[in-house]
Amino acid sequence: MDWTLADIRQAVRKYTGMLSSQQISDSDLNEAINDFYVNEFPLLIGRNELMTWHTFNTTAGTGQYSLNVDIIKIVLPIYVDNTPVWTTHDRALFFANYPWDVTTQSQPDGALIDEDGTLYLRPIPDDTYEVKFLVSQRPDSLTNDSDMPADPAWGRAIAVGTAVHVFMDQGDIEAANELQGLLMALLTQINRKELLLMANKETIRSF
């Protein structure tokens, strides 16, 4: 089944028992669905549909760059002009190797992914270089009733996850827990399918 926003909304009503718009409006349901789909669901799966290459060009004399807020995770390595660079999340380690007061400029060979969403490159670029890395990013929100998730087969898991959140927001922990098992089973199914696809690709490469 190719799940649309309308299908997911109908399923959430079924799982929560809130069949009437007087209990919860379509707009409130859409907001709840997108909150789960955009902000939490990507953290629960590892699907290729949410992976893409992120690229930008450096500016000479500038050594720090703000990362897109939609980026959930950066998959190493980071490339500078197609050359992989050493990368860390450890500020102390990074600035031990590249002290703040050193202003030497050349092609960067090191990067820091800071927790505040800043990417530091060192040495400070002396020219324009293309920076490229693979990222997992948040999907676009579902706006129209006919809109589908990045993989339409995710629809049921999104509906169940949304229903869990609706119950949690209402303080109905028991009802939320009753659906958690189903949500975990659906997520396991999605992730198992991804692992099988990756295994098949590796098998093909081995010949």
Side-chain angles (χ1 to χ4, degrees):
M1 176 179 177
D2 287 342
W3 289 72
T4 64
L5 174 59
D7 295 325
I8 296 170
R9 191 171 59 238
Q10 182 177 0
V12 176
R13 289 195 181 281
K14 172 186 173 183
Y15 287 120
T16 60
M18 300 177 186
L19 303 179
S20 169
S21 58
Q22 293 181 338
Q23 295 172 288
I24 184 169
S25 68
D26 282 354
S27 61
D28 285 345
L29 266 184
N30 288 348
E31 183 177 348
I33 289 168
N34 279 304
D35 183 48
F36 177 76
Y37 173 53
V38 173
N39 296 314
E40 182 168 348
F41 187 72
L43 302 176
L44 302 175
I45 63 170
R47 295 302 300 274
N48 289 333
E49 287 85 349
L50 300 180
M51 304 294 288
T52 187
W53 286 100
H54 181 76
T55 62
F56 69 90
N57 291 326
T58 63
T59 300
T62 301
Q64 60 190 70
Y65 301 85
S66 296
L67 295 172
N68 190 313
V69 295
D70 288 331
I71 293 176
I72 299 171
K73 178 178 66 176
I74 294 177
V75 180
L76 301 182
I78 291 175
Y79 297 90
V80 175
D81 269 10
N82 294 318
T83 300
V85 301
W86 174 76
T87 305
T88 182
H89 293 268
D90 188 326
R91 285 181 60 92
L93 176 62
F94 182 77
F95 288 112
N97 285 279
Y98 303 97
W100 272 107
D101 57 354
V102 175
T103 58
T104 303
Q105 296 186 16
S106 63
Q107 179 170 334
D109 57 21
L112 165 66
I113 304 171
D114 205 2
E115 61 183 10
D116 67 356
T118 301
L119 177 68
Y120 291 85
L121 297 175
R122 292 293 187 275
I124 295 171
D126 63 335
D127 204 342
T128 299
Y129 299 98
E130 182 186 65
V131 180
K132 180 173 68 174
F133 44 88
L134 194 62
V135 301
S136 176
Q137 64 180 14
R138 301 181 195 280
D140 293 332
S141 297
L142 306 176
T143 304
N144 302 311
D145 281 357
S146 59
D147 287 352
M148 296 182 184
D151 184 341
W154 296 344
R156 190 179 182 203
I158 296 169
V160 174
T162 302
V164 169
H165 278 233
V166 169
F167 283 135
M168 292 290 288
D169 289 344
Q170 294 180 337
D172 193 340
I173 308 301
E174 182 177 353
N177 287 338
E178 288 178 359
L179 284 177
Q180 280 286 2
L182 175 57
L183 176 60
M184 292 301 103
L186 292 170
L187 292 172
T188 298
Q189 185 179 39
I190 289 171
N191 287 319
R192 183 182 295 122
K193 180 181 176 182
E194 174 67 7
L195 290 174
L196 289 173
L197 289 172
M198 292 175 63
N200 287 338
K201 289 178 181 178
E202 291 300 323
T203 301
I204 292 172
R205 290 194 192 103
S206 67
F207 288 98

